[in-house]
Amino acid sequence: MHAVYALEIRRLCRGPSLWVMAAILQIVLAWYCLSALEHYLSMQAKIALSDNGPGLTTWLLARYSYPSAFALLLTVPALSMQSIATERREGSLTQLLVAPVSALSITLGKFAALATVLCGYVGLALLNYLCLALLAQLDLLAIAVAHVSLLALVLSAAAIGMFCSSLTTSSVASAFSTSAVILIMWLMGGSQEQLFAGLSIESLSLPSHLGRGLQGVLHSADISYFIIIIIAALLFACRRLSNLRLNGVN
Amino acid sequence: MSSKATEHAHQQPLLEAKDLSCAFNGELAVESLSLTLERAEVLGLVGLNGAGKSTTLRMLCGLIAPTTGEVRIGGYSLADQPAQARQQLGYLPDPPALHDCLSVSEAIDICARLHKLDKAERRSASERVLHQCQLESVKDKRIKALSKGFRQRTGLALALVHNPALLVLDEPASGLDPAQTQHLNQLIKELAKDRAIIFSSHSIADVQSCCTRVALLQNGRLIQDRKREPEEKTACFTLILREVISAKELFALPCVSKLVAIDRHTWHLELIDDNPDAIVAEILANNWGLRALSPQQDNVSAVLEHLRNGATNVEAA
């Protein structure tokens, strides 16, 4: 797994896309953060008059975290499409498949590299809060919880992306299918339909498990939801890699 | 490779393929192919495009599961003990599987890590393959910037880095200039001293220069698998007769050791010695109408030439 990780992290870091996306992401996140801060400052007089007005942390988490989550999710298909689809197209996956490395090790190594990059991206979102913390008093614990939720969200999306990437040799098809699955899971939040007794479609959606975390509340059910998505998607990707070994890479 | 695995590999044939078949969409690409390869053997797999050479090699490497049959590498079943079997296998696909973003030395190091070599082993293995494949001058260059010949040699270095007992090379001379091809053939001969090598090629010259055995594939079937002696005197002839003679009659002649039917009048013969006088006398005695009897450089090249010329039903007697 370490060798696969070493290979994958080099592949990701040596391409321009990772750095271009990081730069664009930081500009977008900083703009969102400054907009939320400016809005807070313009409303400060009104908030001060109310008995139960939100503090700066609550205000920022409510107005900055959701757009940040969406911006972070947009980077996932572009990163995850490279993990298997691009390697299959270029023929370099053969080197891994012929080596004495299990499909699970390949999957975990590739996912760990993807997770490292996404940790960096979530760190960029956190960086804006930390800069602000130098000038104002913020609830750092709530901010940390919100970013753990953000990380869980992007890691689930990355696992889904890896599975989609294992289904095709086309990077574009992989990126589109990942975006479609994430979008469907996001939009399911608007449905009130019941699947079974006590289980609504909404409860399977990404936003329903993200909301509490972004407000700074860590809920074990939400974390379990994201962990289940990650494990299921990685197992599917692993199974797909095993099939590629049996039936030929291309 | 660990000492236990090496010991195990020494006790078993390095490659055992039993009754391999592979079908794509119900169409057989390889049919009932059996091969055994021992240490110090170099097997050249020849055949026309679409004969099933690459599919055969991919099955031997575990990149395609055979529809029927089994592959054992160093005694380990590729299906049941894939990790042990793959540890003894080095594979050079066509085109080579390379990560363009890495430098040559990084690619070698990562490939060694994939084969579970420790740090000291990795360093010595890297130096060894860089020297063997003449890659010292480009070791710090990105693979993306390499010429086709250097890419091919980098692929070979990756296949060799863990010192595998079995080396499977798919068109290794592809993209190499004549000097590089000559060096590769020399390298294959050196490497074969303590391992088994199987490679596919379109070039009869490459096969002749470094193979101890030649296997000929046609339409997924192994139609010939024969040993080549280093100083072998080929006694192969193309015979054209006016009369239609059965293979049985011709093979009954005492001077004929092997027989390949090209068409109803044309045969490729391998004689017991390289003197054709005996068979000329027999043909004249039987009044079969001798039209031509010309020496062939090699039986395999002759059959391959006929396959290229469109013969579809070549049977080895």
Side-chain angles (χ1 to χ4, degrees), chain B residues 39 43 65-66 71 133 137 140 142 157 163 207 217 222 288 296:
Chain B
R39 196 168 292 277
L43 175 70
V71 179
C133 300
S137 60
D140 296 321
R142 290 271 175 98
N163 208 10
V207 172
L217 274 177
L222 191 65
W288 286 340
Q296 285 286 335

Side-chain angles (χ1 to χ4, degrees), chain B residues 67-294:
Chain B
T67 315
T68 62
E70 191 196 18
V71 179
R72 296 183 85 84
I73 300 175
Y76 296 109
S77 163
L78 203 48
D80 302 330
Q81 299 152 292
Q84 290 95 326
R86 287 195 175 107
Q87 189 63 38
Q88 301 187 51
L89 171 76
Y91 175 51
L92 170 68
D94 180 36
L98 301 171
H99 291 92
D100 284 350
C101 61
L102 302 178
S103 70
V104 172
S105 49
E106 275 178 326
I108 291 170
D109 184 64
I110 283 180
C111 191
R113 285 168 80 166
L114 285 171
H115 286 89
K116 301 176 174 61
L117 268 61
D118 64 33
K119 203 174 177 182
E121 286 174 327
R122 289 206 302 269
R123 197 176 303 129
S124 63
S126 177
E127 282 170 15
R128 173 175 52 81
V129 294
L130 283 171
H131 175 70
Q132 276 178 327
C133 300
Q134 296 181 331
L135 287 165
E136 289 105 330
S137 60
V138 294
K139 67 176 181 180
D140 296 321
K141 267 195 179 176
R142 290 271 175 98
I143 290 171
K144 190 164 58 176
L146 296 181
S147 67
K148 202 176 174 195
F150 273 119
R151 288 175 71 87
Q152 195 71 12
R153 282 194 264 169
T154 306
L156 184 62
L158 300 187
L160 283 171
V161 72
H162 56 294
N163 208 10
L166 173 69
L167 204 52
V168 178
L169 312 171
D170 195 355
E171 305 275 355
S174 164
L176 301 185
D177 62 35
Q180 290 171 338
T181 305
Q182 198 180 359
H183 172 256
L184 176 80
N185 291 340
Q186 195 58 40
L187 181 60
I188 287 175
K189 278 185 201 166
E190 279 169 32
L191 292 170
K193 284 174 189 162
D194 58 349
R195 76 194 80 216
I197 300 176
I198 176 167
F199 75 91
S200 68
S201 181
H202 284 117
S203 164
I204 290 295
D206 292 343
V207 172
Q208 281 172 332
S209 77
C210 55
C211 284
T212 59
R213 256 170 74 189
V214 182
L216 187 64
L217 274 177
Q218 189 205 1
N219 298 331
R221 283 188 306 139
L222 191 65
I223 59 168
Q224 199 174 81
D225 180 3
R226 61 190 284 272
K227 272 198 162 75
R228 283 178 56 84
E229 298 304 326
E231 300 302 325
E232 183 178 83
K233 265 193 169 182
T234 54
C236 303
F237 293 84
T238 300
L239 171 69
I240 304 174
L241 298 175
R242 196 180 58 240
E243 301 296 324
V244 177
I245 306 296
S246 73
K248 212 173 173 182
E249 282 178 282
L250 206 51
F251 196 60
L253 300 180
C255 53
V256 176
S257 66
K258 267 186 184 170
L259 185 64
V260 178
I262 304 302
D263 59 37
R264 294 202 311 160
H265 298 277
T266 312
W267 303 86
H268 278 149
L269 306 175
E270 198 175 311
L271 304 182
I272 285 164
D273 56 37
D274 58 346
N275 185 358
D277 294 348
I279 190 155
V280 171
E282 295 277 1
I283 291 167
L284 293 175
N286 287 302
N287 201 20
W288 286 340
L290 178 65
R291 275 192 178 165
L293 181 70
S294 52

